[in-house]
């Protein structure tokens, strides 16, 4: 049971390695495995450390770890996620930091800190959500998420917009300037189907990407709140905006797909 301690201490270790070679190059015939860790790319100028992984990516897959204690006993544990590219290589490992009281009493509406690690074990992003009222009838207390990269340096925000019918969010940069919009479906809870949140231009006329909660099957949906997500965005989108959209994915997971213990 995860009740405290270092939330990122249990990241899976690298499961692939290049055989030793005294000349510093992979031996002839060596082919890097598709499954395992995504190789660390070169960091371009003005890119926060660790976000270089996102430069040449236009799609990510996010898989929440299934916790047996949570599935069997209904005891809420800290969430953990694996972020992979389209060929299955791990890009990031994400772990929630929270205390037992907050998890059990506040449920999906809880405040949280998510630590995002790269494949070298370095924390490259921190996502912070303050405690806010989860009722849409209180537009003065809407949800917000701050994205920091590196930790302690805010690069943007995910701001919930009040709407009587649709889940809506605004993606903002570090200066609180609006960059993109996100619009979800009228009913974000669908059975046997994916749920799509569209990433839109500021005028909401052009679709530039989407965040999709993927149907994982009847058993997993019924007995756990471990979800799978996909996110798509333009390849040439600013790397900071990609990171903020990834943060929006986790906020959406907590708001709409994290099951309360009271249910």
């Amino acid at each position: 049971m995860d009740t405290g301690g270092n939330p990122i201490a249990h990241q899976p270790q690298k499961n692939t390695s290049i055989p030793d070679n005294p000349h510093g190059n992979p031996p002839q015939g060596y082919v890097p495995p598709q499954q395992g860790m995504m190789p660390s790319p070169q960091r371009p100028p003005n890119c926060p450390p660790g976000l270089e992984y996102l430069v040449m990516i236009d799609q990510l897959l996010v898989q929440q770890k299934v916790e047996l204690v949570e599935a069997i006993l209904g005891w809420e544990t800290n969430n953990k996620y694996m972020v992979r590219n389209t060929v299955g290589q791990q890009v990031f490992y994400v772990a929630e930091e929270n205390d037992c009281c907050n998890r059990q009493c506040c449920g999906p509406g809880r405040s949280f800190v998510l630590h995002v690690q790269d494949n070298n074990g370095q924390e490259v992003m921190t996502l912070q959500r303050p405690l806010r009222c989860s009722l849409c009838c209180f537009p003065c207390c809407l949800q917000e998420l701050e994205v920091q990269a590196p930790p302690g340096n805010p690069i943007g925000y995910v701001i919930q917009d009040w709407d009587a019918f649709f889940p809506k969010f605004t993606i903002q940069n570090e200066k609180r300037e609006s960059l993109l919009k996100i619009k979800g479906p009228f009913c974000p809870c669908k059975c046997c189907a994916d749920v799509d949140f569209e990433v839109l231009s500021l005028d909401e006329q052009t679709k530039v990407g989407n965040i999709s909660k993927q149907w994982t099957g009847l058993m997993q949906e019924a007995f756990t709140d471990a979800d799978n997500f996909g996110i798509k965005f333009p390849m040439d989108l600013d790397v900071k905006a990609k990171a903020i959209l990834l943060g929006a994915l986790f906020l959406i997971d907590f708001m709409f797909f994290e099951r309360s213990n009271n249910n």
Side-chain angles (χ1 to χ4, degrees):
M1 183 183 303
D2 188 356
T3 58
N6 186 352
I8 55 179
H10 303 295
Q11 174 176 354
Q13 299 300 309
K14 295 184 179 181
N15 55 10
T16 58
S17 60
I18 297 177
D20 294 333
N21 187 296
H23 302 292
N25 296 318
Q28 185 176 4
Y30 175 76
V31 178
Q34 293 300 304
Q35 298 294 330
M37 305 289 185
M38 178 180 174
S40 179
Q42 184 175 3
R43 181 160 64 96
N46 302 320
C47 176
L51 299 192
E52 62 269 16
Y53 289 90
L54 300 177
V55 173
M56 298 304 296
I57 280 181
D58 63 357
Q59 184 175 354
L60 289 169
L61 306 174
V62 180
Q63 183 177 33
Q64 184 177 351
K65 181 181 177 182
V66 177
E67 299 287 352
L68 292 179
V69 172
E70 190 170 331
I72 297 173
L73 302 179
W75 185 268
E76 188 67 41
T77 60
N78 281 328
N79 287 357
K80 302 179 184 68
Y81 305 84
M82 303 292 287
V83 182
R84 304 181 187 276
N85 59 21
T86 54
V87 296
Q89 295 172 324
Q90 180 177 317
V91 181
F92 297 122
Y93 175 77
V94 184
E96 176 187 3
E97 177 185 0
N98 229 321
D99 60 77
C100 179
C101 182
N102 193 23
R103 293 196 308 268
Q104 308 312 319
C105 297
C106 299
R110 64 186 181 267
S111 60
F112 62 70
V113 176
L114 293 181
H115 300 277
V116 183
Q117 266 193 338
D118 67 10
N119 292 328
N120 296 315
Q122 298 296 315
E123 185 173 352
V124 297
M125 282 193 288
T126 302
L127 313 178
Q128 295 186 348
R129 176 201 191 186
L131 182 63
R132 297 285 178 88
C133 179
S134 60
L135 299 177
C136 63
C137 55
F138 292 98
C140 60
C141 299
L142 298 176
Q143 300 297 314
E144 178 175 329
L145 181 82
E146 180 181 88
V147 180
Q148 303 173 5
N153 180 49
I155 62 168
Y157 304 86
V158 183
I159 308 297
Q160 182 186 11
D161 300 326
W162 186 86
D163 190 279
F165 302 103
F166 297 95
K168 289 187 176 182
F169 303 87
T170 297
I171 301 299
Q172 297 180 341
N173 63 14
E174 67 274 16
K175 298 179 180 179
R176 297 278 186 173
E177 298 169 336
S178 298
L179 303 176
L180 296 166
K181 294 283 187 177
I182 297 176
K183 181 180 179 181
F186 175 74
C187 179
C189 300
K190 296 181 180 179
C191 182
C192 303
D194 294 349
V195 181
D196 290 326
F197 288 73
E198 295 182 331
V199 180
L200 305 168
S201 58
L202 285 179
D203 60 8
E204 300 188 19
Q205 299 302 307
T206 304
K207 181 178 178 180
V208 299
N210 78 291
I211 297 171
S212 177
K213 191 272 182 185
Q214 299 168 348
W215 174 256
T216 56
L218 183 60
M219 293 296 291
Q220 182 165 324
E221 295 283 346
F223 294 103
T224 76
D225 57 10
D227 301 310
N228 291 346
F229 284 85
I231 181 171
K232 296 180 181 179
F233 34 62
M235 182 78 73
D236 59 354
L237 185 66
D238 180 75
V239 68
K240 293 181 181 180
K242 292 181 181 181
I244 303 167
L245 284 173
L246 180 60
L249 180 153
F250 294 111
L251 180 60
I252 287 171
D253 180 32
F254 273 84
M255 288 182 62
F256 301 105
F257 306 108
E258 183 82 358
R259 194 170 60 228
S260 171
N261 289 337
N262 296 324
N263 291 345

